[in-house]
Amino acid sequence: MTGGMRGTAKLSARLIASFAILLGCLTLTSGIGDGGEQWLRTFRDGLHPRPPTRDIVIVEIDAKSLKDIANWPWPRRYHAALIDQLRLAGARSIAFDVDFSASTSAADDTALAQSLARAGGAVILPTFRQALSSSSAEFSENLPIPMLRAHAFLASVNIHPDSEGQVRTYENGVETAHVIRPSLAGMLAERSGSGSASFTIDQSIDPSAIPRVSFVDVMKGRVPGSVLAGKRVLIGATAIELGDRYAMPRHGVIPGVVIQAMAAETLLQGLTNPDRGGIPLLVLAAIAVLLAARERRNRAQIAWLCSGTISTLAIPLVLEISGSGTLDAIPALATLALATGGLAARAIVAEFHRKTMIDDDTLLPNARAFGRLTLRPGQIVVAGRLARFGEIQSVLGRSTTSELVRRAAERITLVARDKAVFLMNQDAFVWIADTADQSELDERIAALAALFRAPMQIGNRNIEVSLNCGAMLVGNEDPRTAAARALVAADYASEHGLRWTLHNATLGAEIDWKLALLSELDTALATGQISVVYQPKADIATGRITSAEALVRWQHPERGTVPPDHFIPAIEQAGRVMDLSLFVMRDALDQLSAWLGMGLDMQVAVNVSTPLLDDPRFADEVAAAILRADVSPARLTLEITESAALADPDRAVAAMERLRALGVRLSIDDYGTGQSTLTYLKRLPASEIKIDKSFVQDMVSNRSDQILVRSTIDLAHELGFKVVAEGVEDAACLALLRTMGCDTAQGWHIGKPVAGSALAPMVAPADVIAA
Ligand code: C2E
Ligand code: MG
Ligand code: MG
């Protein structure tokens, strides 16, 4: 990947981190995490259950006591008796969570008051703060009746469930109408409470382990003194029928007196753990998140995020266990969670991107990946296209073709010297040359061609493949354009039989022009811009014109006459050559029919485009055209270029057999430009060869051309071919061909290509025409 891509990735990771930290800050300031915070604290308390001090003993007004001592509410002399018993047992302090705010019988109230007095005023009695009415915002404090409170300490027993109805916190003291009342738990634990500040009841204390004894047993002296000696005794109701029960997060619904005991235990064990807020852990999480965002590897990111999360969870736990306070973890956790989610999503997206940059079949980086590269001006992008890919694929099937493409990429990699090779589409590769020197590049591409000369062995097949190369000198174009241009150059090289070409402006203009022509083809055919001219061929022995070759012409309204060599390859590549060929074929057969009608003993030759040989419809179309024109098929010659016959001999033979079966004559055009031997051509069902004009034109002055033409004529005759020489430009050439025994001559000396009607006067009428 490039530096550029990494830059953006890093930026977005930082952005994610910043967002995460922002979310943490919002959580911190808005307080939306409070519920979660409490849940976490309860959860942490559950992780380290701890025993109570056993310093506090609950004297329960339980079911058993209610059963033993009938007539509830109990006469207050029982409470008096209880206090006496507790003092006798040596209790350290005595606190009641029992309502004494209403008077009972004077005797009982007095008995309790006296007992309290005997205790020296050390017994703690409860007060309740409550609203004056359910609609009132004013509060009053319910106190024990004056007779009792004269001999006792007073302490508040208010319990405050939170909005969810759970008791989590406990107030140090309660202020009602400017009177500050310390809490019962505070007095019991002998901690002075400050105003209405509250603390969290430590839920790790197991309430069921707090020692309890039945009221009735104590009152009747049935509890051994050792159980109560030196203890802080809390008296309250636990029997269900007496109500006074509250929900606690970890412990369910428990009696109020037990909650008082737990609050006192929390104080005694020093576990009030003041909340030191969310900032410290948020800072820690922010550091972890920023460090993670700096990392490039997923693992390193996970390591930082995990350390952050573990610390955020562990630090409050350690603080709480040691009683040093607690910290809010939710803002930090929100930060870490968002960062984890964001970075994970980013990693998934990156992985997805990576996958979309790989070709599924070959696992090579694809065009999209190439498009992501940053090219430097002066670099050379090289492209190679596998020749005859469509055929290869149709024969081999998809998976073997993928294997072939992979092997081709391996060969290219050898020459590309470790530069990545990208698969642009199924048959085209591009890579960046490791040299900017064109002669060096030429050597590399020559080496590549040499590598490709060895057939590829795939399974039990030996497959011959070749690669057409092109290159593009990078200016300021984007990678995809550079690749496309290099491929255009590769196609150009293959059309022109070059090893490779460098893309240049002319080539670009030519392509542009070809594309424009293609789009105009239909109009051109319909409006007569495209026409056919006929070039005469003369029988050398008699000097008579016996035949004519149909040659297509495009008279373009803006470009003038466009030579067929220019537009036919483009039309062939675009797969549109059938239309054009049939147009020429029909014109030629109509022309033939016209000549025959005029009593001229003529034949006609039509050029066959190479791609049509592979098209099974072509033979049918030819047959239909012959039928339509109602001429003898033997008067039609189809010219097939030597290179087409060479490319794939077996297929060429098969295609030519199909055409031959129609009764037409076949001719091998441009003979001599390929490297085929005549003996090889003997395999083809052709009856004629046309020696290419490049050998004929200068034959008179060029000895070696002369030798070549002469020997070709001799051998061709020996093998049973008729011989046509094209490019006969003067009389000397024609005379020489006559001495060589050549059969037919075609060239400017015989006649230039002209309209069919213009040709008729040049042809001598035959006496008898075999139609
Ligand atoms: P070809 O079939 O070898 O056609 C002969 C070419 O040589 C023609 O060029 C003709 O004008 C040119 N020629 C004829 N006599 C002389 C001469 O004495 N001296 C020189 N220097 N040239 C001469 P043209 O018409 O430009 O056609 C070029 C090629 O385009 C043809 O080569 C043929 O391969 C292709 N072509 C032309 N018409 C058609 C067509 O209808 N269908 C297909 N598939 N190809 C066509
Ligand atoms: Mg020809
Ligand atoms: Mg030719």
Side-chain angles (χ1 to χ4, degrees):
M1 263 176 226
T2 67
M5 276 185 73
R6 245 180 239 147
T8 26
K10 206 196 262 175
L11 187 79
S12 63
R14 275 195 201 142
L15 209 65
I16 291 168
S18 312
F19 264 123
I21 295 168
L22 189 72
L23 177 80
C25 294
L26 285 176
T27 315
L28 184 76
T29 50
S30 68
I32 41 174
D34 290 356
E37 210 68 73
Q38 278 166 353
W39 183 90
L40 262 183
R41 190 151 182 191
T42 308
F43 174 77
R44 286 192 300 263
D45 284 346
L47 293 179
H48 56 97
R50 66 173 97 222
T53 55
R54 304 190 72 83
D55 237 16
I56 296 172
V57 176
I58 298 173
V59 172
E60 297 180 276
I61 302 174
D62 54 4
K64 178 183 174 192
S65 305
L66 288 181
K67 199 166 154 244
D68 274 21
I69 315 166
N71 59 15
W72 179 264
W74 293 333
R76 287 194 174 144
R77 59 180 176 275
Y78 294 151
H79 297 97
L82 185 83
I83 293 171
D84 293 339
Q85 284 293 344
L86 289 170
R87 286 181 47 238
L88 201 65
R92 174 175 174 148
S93 48
I94 301 166
F96 277 93
D97 185 8
V98 175
D99 181 16
F100 294 116
S101 61
S103 298
T104 61
S105 81
D108 276 314
D109 289 349
T110 311
L112 180 53
Q114 284 169 349
S115 171
L116 290 170
R118 278 196 295 282
V123 173
I124 306 159
L125 295 185
T127 74
F128 308 85
R129 181 183 124 107
Q130 60 184 9
L132 284 175
S133 73
S134 56
S135 60
S136 166
E138 268 183 75
F139 289 86
S140 75
E141 192 179 30
N142 271 20
L143 302 170
I145 53 173
M147 184 198 285
L148 300 179
R149 68 180 187 247
H151 303 286
F153 285 120
L154 296 182
S156 152
V157 290
N158 278 72
I159 281 174
H160 304 275
D162 64 12
S163 57
E164 290 160 31
Q166 301 282 344
V167 179
R168 298 175 198 270
T169 56
Y170 188 87
E171 287 184 6
N172 280 326
V174 172
E175 186 181 337
T176 317
H178 307 298
V179 179
I180 295 175
R181 194 71 67 195
S183 69
L184 186 75
M187 286 197 101
L188 202 62
E190 293 159 27
R191 301 284 190 281
S192 55
S194 62
S196 56
S198 63
F199 61 89
T200 303
I201 300 171
D202 194 311
Q203 308 263 354
S204 66
I205 296 163
D206 180 4
S208 64
I210 297 174
R212 302 178 186 201
V213 286
S214 281
F215 189 108
V216 64
D217 289 342
V218 179
M219 190 185 77
K220 296 204 170 152
R222 294 201 290 251
V223 174
S226 60
V227 175
L228 297 163
K231 304 295 180 186
R232 301 161 204 256
V233 177
L234 185 54
I235 304 117
T238 61
I240 291 171
E241 52 266 57
L242 299 180
D244 190 30
R245 300 169 83 82
Y246 299 87
M248 279 197 104
R250 269 197 74 218
H251 309 297
V253 175
I254 56 174
V257 67
V258 178
I259 293 178
Q260 300 286 351
M262 283 186 67
E265 281 284 351
T266 303
L267 290 169
L268 273 181
Q269 298 198 32
L271 298 174
T272 49
N273 283 329
D275 190 346
R276 303 189 196 282
I279 294 174
L281 289 179
L282 181 58
V283 169
L284 188 96
I287 293 170
V289 161
L290 288 173
L291 288 171
R294 281 175 48 144
E295 296 290 346
R296 212 164 288 148
R297 289 174 306 125
N298 289 352
R299 280 190 185 191
Q301 289 185 348
I302 293 169
W304 280 120
L305 293 171
C306 281
S307 331
T309 309
I310 291 168
S311 310
T312 304
L313 293 174
I315 292 172
L317 181 69
V318 171
L319 291 178
E320 283 164 15
I321 292 175
S322 67
S324 334
T326 189
L327 290 170
D328 289 348
I330 292 292
L333 288 176
T335 300
L336 287 159
L338 183 70
T340 308
L343 291 174
R346 184 174 149 278
I348 290 167
V349 169
E351 174 63 11
F352 176 75
H353 262 282
R354 200 185 62 76
K355 284 217 172 113
T356 61
M357 290 201 280
I358 284 185
D359 176 72
D360 284 346
D361 290 335
T362 58
L363 304 179
L364 291 168
N366 62 15
R368 189 192 287 261
F370 190 76
R372 293 266 182 143
L373 296 185
T374 317
L375 298 181
R376 284 190 307 277
Q379 280 183 319
I380 294 181
V381 171
V382 194
R385 198 193 287 282
L386 290 172
R388 296 185 299 123
F389 186 77
E391 287 171 30
I392 292 175
Q393 203 177 28
S394 70
V395 174
L396 296 186
R398 185 171 160 160
S399 69
T400 315
T401 308
S402 300
E403 174 66 21
L404 180 128
V405 171
R406 260 198 305 279
R407 299 273 197 89
E410 278 165 18
R411 290 185 181 185
I412 296 170
T413 308
L414 286 178
V415 173
R417 312 219 170 156
D418 296 337
K419 298 272 181 194
V421 175
F422 297 78
L423 188 64
M424 297 311 276
N425 55 39
Q426 39 182 3
D427 64 343
F429 306 90
V430 294
W431 64 100
I432 297 174
D434 71 332
T435 172
D437 179 77
Q438 288 188 31
S439 63
E440 218 171 303
L441 182 63
D442 184 60
E443 282 170 26
R444 300 276 154 78
I445 293 178
L448 190 57
L451 278 179
F452 269 86
R453 269 197 282 282
M456 285 187 191
Q457 207 194 349
I458 294 173
N460 48 11
R461 284 169 187 273
N462 268 328
I463 301 157
E464 303 228 11
V465 275
S466 65
L467 191 72
N468 302 314
C469 290
M472 166 75 198
L473 183 63
V474 176
N476 51 10
E477 48 282 283
D478 59 279
R480 291 244 196 168
T481 310
R485 292 191 178 158
L487 275 167
V488 161
D491 293 341
Y492 181 90
S494 101
E495 273 165 35
H496 292 80
L498 306 167
R499 185 149 65 211
W500 69 284
T501 18
L502 190 67
H503 187 277
N504 56 37
T506 331
L507 199 61
E510 192 177 315
I511 301 299
D512 192 35
W513 183 77
K514 274 188 192 172
L515 290 176
L517 275 186
L518 264 181
S519 68
E520 293 165 14
L521 179 66
D522 287 329
T523 334
L525 284 171
T527 59
Q529 286 177 33
I530 290 180
S531 62
V532 185
V533 291
Y534 295 87
Q535 185 174 33
K537 294 188 203 174
D539 181 327
I540 296 178
T542 63
R544 285 175 56 155
I545 294 181
T546 53
S547 171
E549 178 177 3
L551 295 164
V552 70
R553 291 291 174 265
W554 188 335
Q555 196 61 39
H556 195 278
E558 285 138 37
R559 301 178 204 276
T561 312
V562 185
D565 287 342
H566 284 195
F567 63 85
I568 289 177
I571 290 172
E572 284 176 350
Q573 264 172 27
R576 299 283 317 276
V577 80
M578 180 71 97
D579 296 347
L580 182 76
S581 298
L582 291 178
F583 176 84
V584 176
M585 180 80 63
R586 288 185 192 131
D587 192 283
L589 290 171
D590 287 348
Q591 190 57 63
L592 176 66
S593 168
W595 285 328
L596 294 174
M598 293 158 77
L600 306 177
D601 183 8
M602 281 290 279
Q603 302 209 346
V604 76
V606 174
N607 294 288
V608 176
S609 212
T610 311
L612 289 183
L613 282 181
D614 288 330
D615 192 332
R617 285 177 308 157
F618 181 62
D620 299 341
E621 294 286 0
V622 174
I626 293 170
L627 217 61
R628 181 178 149 278
D630 190 23
V631 292
S632 158
R635 288 184 179 274
L636 174 66
T637 301
L638 297 181
E639 297 189 6
I640 292 151
T641 60
E642 183 191 7
S643 55
L646 268 179
D648 187 338
D650 292 340
R651 292 169 78 93
V653 171
M656 287 168 76
E657 295 285 8
R658 272 199 300 277
L659 295 170
R660 183 85 192 89
L662 302 176
V664 303
R665 298 177 74 238
L666 298 176
S667 172
I668 304 299
D669 202 354
D670 299 345
Y671 179 75
T673 54
Q675 266 92 46
S676 57
T677 59
L678 271 177
T679 338
Y680 161 73
L681 292 182
K682 189 63 203 144
R683 286 178 58 199
L684 305 176
S687 48
E688 176 188 281
I689 63 158
K690 286 182 81 174
I691 303 176
D692 192 67
K693 55 182 176 284
S694 56
F695 304 100
V696 180
Q697 276 163 331
D698 306 322
M699 189 176 72
V700 178
S701 55
N702 186 321
R703 280 265 321 146
S704 63
D705 281 354
Q706 221 177 90
I707 294 168
L708 193 128
V709 172
R710 186 190 300 276
S711 59
T712 302
I713 292 170
D714 290 347
L715 193 58
H717 280 161
E718 239 170 75
L719 292 170
F721 290 115
K722 291 277 181 201
V723 181
V724 183
E726 49 170 45
V728 181
E729 294 182 350
D730 47 48
C733 181
L734 181 64
L736 198 55
L737 286 167
R738 186 176 289 119
T739 65
M740 288 175 178
C742 183
D743 303 290
T744 309
Q746 179 182 356
W748 296 343
H749 180 66
I750 313 298
K752 292 212 169 177
V754 289
S757 54
L759 192 80
M762 299 165 66
V763 185
D767 299 330
V768 184
I769 296 172

